[in-house]
Amino acid sequence: MTDQLNVLREWTPLSCTPQMIKESKQMYGGKIMLSGIIQRANTLNQNGRVYPRPILEREIMNYQKLIRENRALGECDHPDSSVIELKNASHIVREAYMRGDDVYGRIEILDTPSGKIIQSLIESGVTLGISSRGVGSTTSQGGNQVVQDDFQLICFDMVSEPSTPGAFMLKEGRINRRELDKFFNQSDKIDRMFNEILRW
């Protein structure tokens, strides 16, 4: 087993209009809540990657702990690191679940400098996307890159739509396992092991 994992990023368009923002603020006491599909399993992504459903199901199950603990933050744009920078946090995932091969999410835009940027872009009619960030490896199968069992979901970031489909999703970084330990604490690791035992 190598100490290096790829940072994997995937992009999904986020359907949101200024009218939806207005309605959300009215329904949620001024908060902006967005919901929709945030990831897909068993589907060829624009960058040629496929996430097998069992792997994505496992990671969404593990992600529930971060949601419960109000730690499921995401950033405005993808950083080069696997660590979520609090100064760049723009939103928090309040709910994530699978229905078939689709991962649905409900996201609250935060009242932070980065959150205000996201809100302003949406209110100006800019099309944004939501993109998963995680670490793991891929293997080539039938011309596609299939995400392997070592994949660990870190977060969902708000990103711009690339002018060329998949242009920035192909950008991958390398991450050392010790850097990943900064994100997942001991309790997270125990929870992951417990979830694996339950799946057996």
Side-chain angles (χ1 to χ4, degrees):
M1 174 78 82
T2 178
D3 277 351
Q4 297 291 322
L5 300 171
N6 289 322
V7 177
L8 305 178
R9 302 172 176 123
E10 309 304 336
W11 180 84
T12 304
L14 179 65
S15 176
C16 187
T17 64
Q19 181 61 30
M20 291 168 73
I21 294 275
K22 183 179 176 184
E23 291 170 4
S24 175
K25 284 181 173 181
Q26 290 171 348
M27 287 176 58
Y28 297 104
K31 293 182 181 179
I32 300 172
M33 303 294 283
L34 308 174
S35 57
I37 296 172
I38 58 175
Q39 178 62 287
R40 282 198 167 102
N42 297 327
T43 303
L44 182 64
N45 289 325
Q46 292 179 22
N47 63 359
R49 280 195 202 109
V50 175
Y51 284 75
R53 183 172 172 176
I55 292 172
L56 202 49
E57 279 181 328
R58 178 197 72 206
E59 289 308 300
I60 293 301
M61 182 171 65
N62 289 330
Y63 197 63
Q64 300 307 306
K65 181 176 189 290
L66 298 180
I67 293 172
R68 283 190 309 271
E69 295 177 354
N70 291 318
R71 295 191 300 136
L73 296 169
E75 295 187 44
C76 177
D77 283 324
H78 276 315
D80 291 329
S81 168
S82 65
V83 178
I84 298 169
E85 298 283 342
L86 294 179
K87 65 185 177 189
N88 298 327
S90 59
H91 60 279
I92 186 166
V93 176
R94 294 296 185 190
E95 186 178 20
Y97 60 92
M98 291 200 70
R99 184 184 302 152
D101 285 342
D102 295 331
V103 179
Y104 286 85
R106 190 166 58 89
I107 295 159
E108 177 185 340
I109 305 298
L110 297 172
D111 189 24
T112 61
S114 293
K116 289 177 195 258
I117 290 170
I118 297 298
Q119 178 180 342
S120 177
L121 290 170
I122 293 170
E123 288 175 342
S124 297
V126 175
T127 300
L128 297 178
I130 187 142
S131 181
S132 64
R133 184 176 8 144
V135 293
S137 61
T138 61
T139 318
S140 183
Q141 294 178 10
N144 301 326
Q145 292 297 312
V146 178
V147 174
Q148 297 301 291
D149 198 50
D150 61 356
F151 175 70
Q152 292 184 22
L153 175 66
I154 294 173
C155 67
F156 292 94
D157 294 321
M158 300 295 279
V159 296
S160 62
E161 181 177 7
S163 57
T164 304
F168 78 88
M169 285 190 294
L170 296 175
K171 179 182 174 190
E172 293 186 358
R174 302 290 285 177
I175 181 169
N176 188 295
R177 284 190 184 277
R178 286 182 284 285
E179 185 178 333
L180 190 59
D181 286 342
K182 294 176 189 173
F183 180 75
F184 293 115
N185 63 33
Q186 192 66 26
S187 172
D188 296 335
K189 293 172 192 170
I190 292 168
D191 195 61
R192 292 181 78 83
M193 287 187 277
F194 183 69
N195 286 339
E196 281 299 308
I197 292 168
L198 288 177
R199 288 186 57 172
W200 291 336

